[in-house]
Amino acid sequence: DSGVTQTPKHLITATGQRVTLRCSPRSGDLSVYWYQQSLDQGLQFLIQYYNGEERAKGNILERFSAQQFPDLHSELNLSSLELGDSALYFCASSVVADPPTDTQYFGPGTRLTVL
Amino acid sequence: AQSVAQPEDQVNVAEGNPLTVKCTYSVSGNPYLFWYVQYPNRGLQFLLKYITGDNLVKGSYGFEAEFNKSQTSFHLKKPSALVSDSALYFCARNAGNMLTFGGGTRLMVKP
């Protein structure tokens, strides 16, 4: 158990809908990262937040957004869902923001199925 | 772009034999390299990382990895494979704020 929690574990929804994925980082970690794992794209970085502020953006669609709250939990919002958004969404956390030597610890993921 | 590659989609090994899962990285930038393992319906678990120093890095569950600068490789190894090691293994590189992952290698350990 990494100490990173994600809810829900599974989510099934329809095209065009909007969903929210939630992540709580490990105690003491200030950085939260979101990744998407799909069969065709592999594991891709989406976005990072550090202590409430957006720090880095990757291959995140404009239909997706995220935020980190004062208690450091983070939410990933996915809107106007398409079939291709079906994937496993991971949250990870680490202590610091920038040093690339920092280890990211991953949650169990949320499996999103768009029908 | 700073990237990693895993040349093998699948590696098969008999229980008790040594295993190697290969990873190569692009030359540009500092090679901060990581190995993660993913079991079915689970998240990624951190195994080990190379930052600097000793080229042989020891990690969790008896795994180790050898950093080779001349060959730009960071292969994951274990002296004696267990059936329970069967999983999906990812090599990753941190070039700043994000991890860039290889495509993954499925390790199958047969009894």
Side-chain angles (χ1 to χ4, degrees):
Chain A
D1 183 3
S2 67
V4 179
T5 61
Q6 289 186 249
T7 57
K9 288 188 177 176
H10 302 278
L11 204 47
I12 301 175
T13 188
T15 55
Q17 295 299 304
R18 172 188 169 95
V19 296
T20 298
L21 282 53
R22 182 188 169 103
C23 167
S24 292
R26 294 187 319 157
S27 176
D29 285 358
L30 298 178
S31 262
V32 170
Y33 310 78
W34 287 97
Y35 291 85
Q36 179 194 58
Q37 184 180 32
S38 61
L39 285 176
D40 53 345
Q41 299 287 339
L43 265 164
Q44 288 197 99
F45 168 74
L46 296 179
I47 197 165
Q48 180 207 2
Y49 277 79
Y50 174 72
N51 205 20
E53 300 288 328
E54 181 184 305
R55 184 57 65 97
K57 253 184 176 179
N59 297 322
I60 187 166
L61 300 171
E62 285 194 13
R63 300 183 285 107
F64 296 1
S65 65
Q67 54 184 328
Q68 187 179 26
F69 295 86
D71 67 352
L72 301 177
H73 90 272
S74 177
E75 293 180 356
L76 180 67
N77 300 296
L78 315 176
S79 62
S80 302
L81 285 167
E82 301 175 0
L83 295 178
D85 297 328
S86 295
L88 196 49
Y89 291 84
F90 287 112
C91 169
S93 74
S94 71
V95 176
V96 295
D98 289 325
T101 60
D102 204 25
T103 299
Q104 295 181 26
Y105 292 92
F106 284 74
T110 293
R111 183 170 296 281
L112 173 66
T113 302
V114 183
L115 301 175
Chain B
Q2 299 185 34
S3 63
V4 292
Q6 295 179 242
E8 302 159 317
D9 289 337
Q10 182 162 317
V11 169
N12 298 310
V13 65
E15 187 176 28
N17 283 359
L19 69 86
T20 298
V21 183
K22 295 180 180 178
C23 172
T24 60
Y25 64 94
S26 60
V27 175
S28 60
N30 286 316
Y32 299 127
L33 299 164
F34 299 74
W35 276 102
Y36 287 84
V37 59
Q38 184 178 22
Y39 295 99
N41 301 314
R42 303 280 295 277
L44 282 78
Q45 296 181 33
F46 169 71
L47 285 177
L48 50 82
K49 66 182 178 183
Y50 173 81
I51 304 303
T52 186
D54 195 349
N55 289 341
L56 186 63
V57 180
K58 293 193 183 296
S60 306
Y61 313 119
F63 284 94
E64 57 190 27
E66 186 173 8
F67 174 74
N68 189 316
K69 188 174 181 178
S70 63
Q71 297 186 5
T72 64
S73 67
F74 187 55
H75 300 333
L76 183 70
K77 300 182 179 185
K78 189 174 182 182
S80 179
L82 300 172
V83 172
S84 57
D85 292 330
S86 298
L88 190 55
Y89 290 81
F90 289 96
C91 180
R93 182 176 193 169
N94 195 333
N97 300 73
M98 69 184 84
L99 289 172
T100 303
F101 288 89
T105 298
R106 186 163 299 281
L107 174 66
M108 300 289 291
V109 182
K110 304 289 177 60

